[in-house]
Amino acid sequence: MKVLVIGCGGVAGVAIRKCCQASDVFTELCIASRTKEKCDALAAELAPNTDTKITTAQVDAGNAEELSALICSVGPDLVMNIALPYQDLTIMDACLACGVNYMDTANYEPEDTEDPAWRAAYEKRCREKGFSAYFDYSWQWAYREKFEKAGLTALLGCGFDPGVSQAYCAWARKHEFDTIDTIDILDCNGGDHGYPFATNFNPEINLREVSAPGSYWEDGRWVEVPAMSIKRVYDFDQVGRRDMYLLHHEEIESLAVNIPEVKRIRFFMTFGQSYLDHMRCLGDVGMLSTAPVEYEGREIVPIQFLKVLLPDPATLGPRTHGKTNIGCIFTGKKDGQDKAYYIYNVSDHQACYREVGSQAVSYTTGVPAMCGAMMLLTGKWAAPGVHTVEEFDPDPFMDALERYGLPRTENRSPVLVE
């Protein structure tokens, strides 16, 4: 099978390396990004040790014509979008134009949050749904009919969270519960990179996400709270006690639709005090703004300028030590009895770096991207339209995660989050 990978950053690098470990499925890869030199360097590194045929290309993922020309010339069975979420819709349009299946690791959000057309749709959604995060599934779900009519599949958000977190939910629903009452998704990064301040994935996307108001699903509606206003402390296996904060996260939206009996869904992520202090200071002085400002006769976007100043997440691997622990805690009923269940993965930053040259945050996103692509290419997940991970059979995906580096741990008497 032939795959076009758009993106050559930290997560894409992991996914591409993992694809090359499964040459029987990924027989050909074309790696494309705005900076072709990065693609060339990665291809040269991997080519001697894989049977996968690797080519490279330059492309501006925000240019629909350029994308369509590349996709049609490569003729892939699947496009793996591991670029920026700003580019999701453009790449989906190009896939439709060329008749190719699509997948990504994060849902669409706009680069320019002041665009009048987008702003009007956003404000309408805020009124109707009750949460104000800039990212949501509505823009990509609007493509359902187009992909169905074309007989194509679009798989959204196949990283860890979103992605594996939703597979864990599908697994729990299939194997552990008759009905699920509550879901708490816990994302703990216990790693230390030694910098005063850095983000573990794209700074622009990361800082937007964590500085937004938090929200959760309860009793059929959204409840929104100020950013970082709900804090819990949890003792994570192999990491220890960490402060974690409630955030809005995209998989809550799809899980609320696809597991309709669930009464509450929350997402928590751990942060150290230094990170929070830096983020608050940057927010106070306007450095997290997405609105362009004029400086010495030219427009700059503050958060994009900040991204240039911060360490590149792709360079954190050799200096990051510690572990991640990401999973889901469920409560519900099985055979008429109350039940709790916790399923999670623990990954070691240095072990990930030794294997693929990346820290665990990129690893835990890149591996599921490859596994999801494998599900689509082998026909284990096949349904025209636009789908999220929990809509498919979790079993083959969970098997692939085990095989390619993300084993699960299960706890049937977990400590619950209050």
Side-chain angles (χ1 to χ4, degrees):
M1 294 287 193
K2 183 185 294 187
V3 173
L4 170 61
V5 181
I6 299 177
C8 197
V11 173
V14 174
I16 291 162
R17 285 176 165 85
K18 285 293 183 176
C19 289
C20 290
Q21 293 178 12
S23 298
D24 56 327
V25 175
F26 299 89
T27 55
E28 295 184 52
L29 281 181
C30 178
I31 310 168
S33 81
R34 190 186 298 270
T35 310
K36 187 174 182 292
E37 291 78 8
K38 291 174 64 176
C39 305
D40 293 339
L42 181 58
E45 176 191 340
L46 295 174
N49 301 304
T50 182
D51 291 330
T52 300
K53 179 183 176 183
I54 306 173
T55 57
T56 64
Q58 191 278 333
V59 71
D60 175 0
N63 185 313
E65 291 184 5
E66 213 175 288
L67 272 170
S68 295
L70 174 64
I71 294 171
C72 291
S73 67
V74 172
D77 299 287
L78 173 69
V79 170
M80 294 177 70
N81 169 16
I82 319 182
L84 294 173
Y86 308 149
Q87 298 156 341
D88 288 359
L89 303 186
T90 307
I91 300 174
M92 291 178 80
D93 285 333
C95 285
L96 284 167
C98 298
V100 178
N101 294 317
Y102 167 91
M103 69 167 290
D104 62 38
T105 59
N107 68 1
Y108 171 73
E109 61 181 283
E111 185 169 12
D112 178 9
T113 57
E114 300 304 318
D115 174 75
W118 177 86
R119 197 83 199 175
Y122 164 75
E123 290 173 356
K124 181 174 183 289
R125 189 216 73 198
C126 290
R127 292 192 301 270
E128 293 177 350
K129 292 196 173 182
F131 67 91
S132 60
Y134 288 149
F135 52 94
D136 72 294
Y137 280 119
S138 64
W139 295 89
Q140 291 178 278
W141 280 347
Y143 280 69
R144 280 172 172 159
E145 187 175 349
K146 292 179 181 179
F147 272 82
E148 286 171 359
K149 286 183 176 179
L152 299 172
T153 301
L155 175 63
L156 308 183
C158 195
F160 204 110
D161 47 351
V164 177
S165 56
Q166 290 146 294
Y168 284 170
C169 293
W171 174 271
R173 198 180 194 203
K174 180 177 180 179
H175 297 290
E176 299 291 335
F177 291 90
D178 295 323
T179 57
I180 295 174
D181 292 330
T182 69
I183 303 170
D184 279 333
I185 304 165
L186 312 186
D187 184 327
C188 170
N189 178 15
D192 181 5
H193 46 60
Y195 286 114
F197 183 70
T199 62
N200 291 295
F201 59 93
N202 185 288
E204 193 174 344
I205 304 304
N206 178 261
L207 290 167
R208 272 197 189 192
E209 176 182 303
V210 302
S211 62
S215 59
Y216 59 97
W217 181 260
E218 187 169 50
D219 296 330
R221 67 184 184 91
W222 287 98
V223 179
E224 185 165 88
V225 298
M228 302 296 177
S229 63
I230 295 180
K231 172 187 170 182
R232 299 290 186 267
V233 179
Y234 199 80
D235 191 355
F236 289 91
D237 179 28
Q238 301 185 51
V239 176
R241 290 173 62 83
R242 291 290 189 275
D243 294 342
M244 62 182 190
Y245 297 82
L246 185 141
L247 303 182
H248 176 84
H249 226 244
E250 56 256 58
E251 65 261 51
I252 298 175
E253 186 178 7
S254 69
L255 290 169
V257 172
N258 293 314
I259 309 180
E261 77 271 15
V262 72
K263 295 179 175 64
R264 189 189 71 205
I265 312 171
R266 301 182 297 184
F267 180 97
F268 292 90
M269 183 175 285
T270 61
F271 297 97
Q273 193 57 49
S274 175
Y275 182 100
L276 296 178
D277 289 343
H278 278 83
M279 188 184 73
R280 289 189 181 110
C281 180
L282 290 167
D284 287 345
V285 299
M287 286 301 296
L288 303 186
S289 173
T290 60
V293 298
E294 188 170 312
Y295 175 71
E296 293 188 348
R298 59 173 295 183
E299 281 195 342
I300 64 168
V301 176
I303 198 169
Q304 293 179 355
F305 178 69
L306 175 63
K307 175 182 174 180
V308 176
L309 298 177
L310 291 175
D312 181 350
T315 68
L316 297 178
R319 58 186 294 150
T320 305
H321 297 264
K323 296 180 180 182
T324 61
N325 180 319
I326 315 174
C328 301
I329 300 177
F330 304 89
T331 64
K333 292 189 182 298
K334 180 68 173 179
D335 299 327
Q337 301 296 311
D338 290 337
K339 177 177 179 176
Y341 172 71
Y342 185 15
I343 180 170
Y344 59 92
N345 164 263
V346 175
S347 291
D348 183 277
H349 283 287
Q350 283 298 295
C352 295
Y353 182 71
R354 286 192 295 271
E355 182 191 348
V356 297
S358 171
Q359 37 84 2
V361 174
S362 292
Y363 189 90
T364 55
T365 307
V367 172
M370 182 279 279
C371 293
M374 181 178 284
M375 296 302 100
L376 295 174
L377 293 169
T378 58
K380 291 183 173 64
W381 289 357
V386 177
H387 302 279
T388 47
V389 169
E390 74 272 20
E391 297 179 62
F392 293 104
D393 181 7
D395 293 11
F397 183 66
M398 298 281 277
D399 289 344
L401 293 175
E402 292 275 343
R403 179 179 178 187
Y404 289 101
L406 295 179
R408 63 185 178 270
T409 300
E410 297 169 283
N411 181 346
R412 290 181 171 78
S413 56
V415 175
L416 302 181
V417 180
E418 64 183 77

